[in-house]
Amino acid sequence: MSDTLVEPSEPDRAPTRSLSVTDSIRAAILSGTFEAGVRMHEVRLSEWLGVSRTPVRSALQTLASEGLLEYAPNRGYAVRKYLTSEIVDAYEIRAMLESLAARFAAERGLKEEERAAIERSLADGDALLAKGELTENDRISYGAINFAFHDTIHQAARCRMLGDMVRLCQSVPQSSHRNVVSFELLDVRRRHDDHHRIYDAIIMSEPHRAELLMREHVASVKTSLVRSITGRPAPLRRAPG
């Protein structure tokens, strides 16, 4: 574990004050400003963000509970490192679980409030992408949009066990719906188009199509993420037998 805090270069200075301290540090970690193993020094972070140490300390505790940071006595917090294989495994499992959730939602139908929540997330995503460019502030916004879409489908599946298992997969932070790591415009547009197609299949009561589309969607997110981390495509899984 490194004992230093990497000082962000001038263009990478803290996001605007419209973001909370937790959101700002989370976004910096996910964007790679703070690399795995780097120690998060309260004083330097408070200077970087222009706030007191109290909200920084609270933010570090929150991010540790999310799994983005790890704590060691007498050393403090550091950015947690996950093996690429762990991230790939989390996405592999998520693809199976979420595709099942989409199938259940198509079979069991959406409540009016669920339909409204998904349509709102689609409209918000459309508006965000209409700008033609994305900023670090937009990473937080899209994370909320992405979470609303997927979480509503989990609710519509009407299966508590399934929801619990999805949340377990998200204990790997890079696999969480809120944590958007790969944030290139074309990737985000492709993912959001997937959301539209998945929703269409659900409201048209096409469970097998919804299942297939969701599985391909999660798999494509995995590929984009691994490429952003390693510069290479995600490893292929050998079929059993």
Side-chain angles (χ1 to χ4, degrees), residues 19-20 32 44 93 95 100 102 122 146 156 176 187 209 215 220:
L19 299 182
S20 72
R44 295 182 185 176
I93 298 168
L100 184 58
L122 295 175
N146 193 52
S176 170
D187 279 341
R209 181 167 177 263
R215 182 170 298 172
S220 70

Side-chain angles (χ1 to χ4, degrees), residues 86-154:
E86 292 179 297
I87 299 170
V88 170
D89 286 345
Y91 271 94
E92 294 275 353
I93 298 168
R94 248 193 68 191
M96 296 177 65
L97 295 173
E98 295 220 44
S99 62
L100 184 58
R103 192 184 92 195
F104 283 170
E107 290 174 344
R108 300 169 183 179
L110 298 175
K111 297 178 180 179
E112 189 58 39
E113 60 269 26
E114 291 166 345
R115 182 190 293 257
I118 292 177
E119 291 181 353
R120 185 163 54 250
S121 76
L122 295 175
D124 289 345
D126 291 342
L128 190 70
L129 289 165
K131 300 190 307 176
E133 60 180 3
L134 298 173
T135 67
E136 278 305 305
N137 287 3
D138 293 330
R139 184 191 295 268
I140 305 299
S141 299
Y142 186 74
I145 291 168
N146 193 52
F147 176 82
F149 176 82
H150 285 275
D151 190 60
T152 304
I153 291 176
H154 301 161

Side-chain angles (χ1 to χ4, degrees), residues 56-90:
V56 170
R57 187 177 303 115
S58 176
L60 295 179
Q61 293 171 350
T62 297
L63 295 173
S65 70
E66 293 179 5
L68 278 174
L69 301 177
E70 54 188 359
Y71 178 80
N74 302 319
R75 296 175 67 86
Y77 295 95
V79 179
R80 184 172 178 179
K81 181 177 182 178
Y82 285 89
L83 298 175
T84 302
S85 60
E86 292 179 297
I87 299 170
V88 170
D89 286 345

